């Protein structure tokens, strides 16, 4: 009951923060109430995860629990970034997703897939994968918003939502910070995967590994290209979105098919 109460409270706090962000964008003013509410939501979400961990002595790794954990980390990373960058308005997209994933988690819990079934090596692989995906998730959102922002600024007077976003320079700076940090954790994930996964074929992980490696190559090439050749703009956006789509297929494609369709 405590877990359900924490999750429900977090969902309402996420949605209330989203509503205040939209109101703030309409009024074209910056207020701190949405940020405070978002912090309350994330803290309640963390407390829910901690409560479930205490209950089962491990993290859950089913489809919806993983999606909820990713959404929580994404929201937390966004709030940390908002401490020194005006990026809190991205919560208008991210916070409703976090609320939805948390709602699905509490309604479709599956205690049979907890991390207690894995050794410490596999646990570290799974957790670094989740962190990498979360960071690169924000990077992909940043890239899409950068594209929309750039197109609107060039073609016609931008809409109010676009005007409310941070400057192109601030958005691009955060984009590459997220990519660099995400690549670091993705590298750890790949190394730990090769070190601790015993049979890729038996565990249906071959396609995940291949897609993750290709995504790593794309993101790493982008970072090197920015440093050596000044890559940015359209090239950065295309590489970021392409890499994230590959990770999305790698991380959630197989889980969606195996758990929700094949029921394995």
């Amino acid at each position: 009951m405590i877990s359900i109460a924490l999750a429900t409270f977090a969902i309402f706090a996420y949605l209330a923060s989203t509503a205040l962000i939209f109101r703030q964008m309409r009024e074209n003013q910056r207020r701190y109430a949405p940020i405070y509410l978002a912090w309350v939501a994330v803290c309640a979400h963390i407390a829910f995860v901690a409560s479930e961990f205490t209950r089962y002595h491990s993290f859950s790794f089913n489809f919806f629990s993983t999606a909820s954990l990713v959404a929580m980390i994404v929201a937390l990373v966004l709030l940390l970034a908002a401490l020194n960058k005006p990026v809190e308005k991205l919560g208008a997209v991210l916070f409703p997703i976090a609320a939805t994933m948390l709602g699905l988690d509490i309604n479709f819990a599956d205690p049979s897939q907890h991390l207690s079934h894995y050794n410490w090596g596999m646990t570290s692989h799974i957790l670094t994968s989740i962190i990498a995906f979360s960071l690169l998730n924000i990077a992909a959102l940043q890239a899409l918003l950068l594209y929309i922002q750039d197109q609107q600024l060039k073609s016609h007077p931008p809409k109010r939502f676009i005007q409310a976003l941070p400057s192109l320079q601030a958005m691009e700076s955060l984009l590459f910070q997220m990519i660099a940090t995400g690549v670091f954790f993705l590298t750890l994930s790949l190394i730990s995967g090769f070190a601790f996964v015993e049979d890729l074929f038996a565990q249906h992980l071959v396609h995940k590994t291949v897609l993750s490696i290709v995504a790593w190559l794309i993101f790493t090439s982008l970072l090197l290209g920015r440093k050596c050749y000044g890559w940015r703009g359209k090239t950065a956006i295309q590489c970021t979105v392409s890499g994230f789509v590959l990770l999305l297929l790698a991380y959630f494609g197989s889980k969606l098919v195996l758990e929700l369709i094949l029921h394995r």
Side-chain angles (χ1 to χ4, degrees), residues 8 17 35 42 57 66 69 95 115 152 184 210 213 221 243 257:
T8 303
S17 177
I35 292 293
V42 169
H57 305 290
T66 303
L69 184 59
F95 297 155
L115 287 182
Q152 291 226 345
F184 171 76
V210 172
I213 291 173
S221 299
V257 172

Side-chain angles (χ1 to χ4, degrees), residues 181-199:
T181 311
V183 167
F184 171 76
F185 281 100
L186 182 58
T187 303
L188 294 179
S189 170
L190 289 171
I191 293 172
S192 59
F194 283 117
F196 299 111
V197 176
E198 296 180 358
D199 191 337

Side-chain angles (χ1 to χ4, degrees), residues 74 77 130-140 178-179 181-182 185:
V74 168
V77 170
I130 290 173
I131 294 172
F133 183 86
S134 302
L135 292 165
L136 295 170
N137 186 327
I138 295 183
M178 292 298 173
I179 292 175
T181 311
F185 281 100

Side-chain angles (χ1 to χ4, degrees), residues 75-150:
L76 178 60
V77 170
L78 176 64
L79 290 175
L80 292 173
L83 293 175
N84 54 24
K85 290 184 176 64
V87 294
E88 66 275 0
K89 293 181 180 67
L90 298 180
V93 178
L94 296 176
F95 297 155
I97 294 175
T100 302
M101 292 302 103
L102 182 53
L104 291 171
D105 184 15
I106 61 177
N107 282 285
F108 297 97
D110 184 2
S112 66
Q113 296 194 49
H114 280 77
L115 287 182
S116 58
H117 300 163
Y118 302 98
N119 58 36
W120 70 268
M122 275 300 297
T123 298
S124 64
H125 167 66
I126 291 169
L127 293 179
T128 52
S129 298
I130 290 173
I131 294 172
F133 183 86
S134 302
L135 292 165
L136 295 170
N137 186 327
I138 295 183
L141 176 61
Q142 287 281 103
L144 291 173
L145 290 176
L146 267 172
Y147 174 77
I148 297 171
Q149 194 174 16
D150 183 59

Side-chain angles (χ1 to χ4, degrees), residues 155-168:
S155 58
H156 48 75
K159 296 180 181 179
R160 186 169 295 178
F161 176 72
I162 299 299
Q163 290 178 321
L165 291 175
S167 67
L168 284 172

